[in-house]
Amino acid sequence: MSKAGIYTVNSGAQAIAVGGVINLGTINRRFGRECCEPVIDLSGASITLNEPGYYDIDVAVTALPTAAGPVTIAVFQDGAAVPGSTNTTTAAAAGNPVNVVSLPLVRVRCGSASNISVVLVNGAGSIANISVKVLKV
């Protein structure tokens, strides 16, 4: 089992509908087996975890909702919400930036890879920034 980590950032504005997957942007930092298949890799709008074990995931989103009310994100693993990863912040008015974080721990079982994505569950609008840090623990 090797140590590995990735840090992705997308500070470009993205319009996201409720239920939409947030684009994670580009790799800012990464370590862990670069010569062949990385332990953790960015693949489109998801992060691929290629080794069995536990992974600590830290997600920070700045959203600009189209209306006052709750803005909710969730971390998804292989298409399903990770238990306890859904988090909500309430916007006071349309266009007011709100910060929402999620800090789950996920497991990848032997013999399989796993895909991680971030979904806007509630509060359509635009995402001004998202950063994701994943560390294999």
Side-chain angles (χ1 to χ4, degrees):
M1 304 284 175
S2 57
K3 292 186 178 191
I6 196 168
Y7 178 64
T8 68
V9 175
N10 189 347
S11 44
Q14 20 177 345
I16 303 288
V18 170
V21 175
I22 302 171
N23 184 314
L24 304 181
T26 58
I27 297 170
N28 190 278
R29 301 274 187 269
R30 177 173 59 188
F31 66 93
R33 199 171 57 226
E34 299 294 325
C35 65
C36 45
E37 181 179 63
V39 174
I40 306 170
D41 200 11
L42 180 64
S43 178
S46 66
I47 291 176
T48 304
L49 311 175
N50 291 308
E51 279 188 359
Y54 287 90
Y55 294 82
D56 182 25
I57 301 173
D58 298 346
V59 176
V61 172
T62 301
L64 302 167
T66 56
V71 176
T72 305
I73 65 165
V75 174
F76 277 53
Q77 181 178 18
D78 300 325
V82 174
S85 74
T86 302
N87 212 347
T88 301
T89 301
T90 302
N96 278 12
V98 294
N99 296 312
V100 189
V101 298
S102 182
L103 308 169
L105 183 71
V106 301
R107 180 181 182 191
V108 176
R109 297 194 180 273
C110 291
S112 65
S114 191
N115 290 309
I116 301 297
S117 58
V118 180
V119 174
L120 182 66
V121 177
N122 191 18
S126 63
I127 302 300
N129 187 67
I130 181 170
S131 63
V132 179
K133 178 178 71 176
V134 179
L135 294 174
K136 187 168 190 282
V137 293

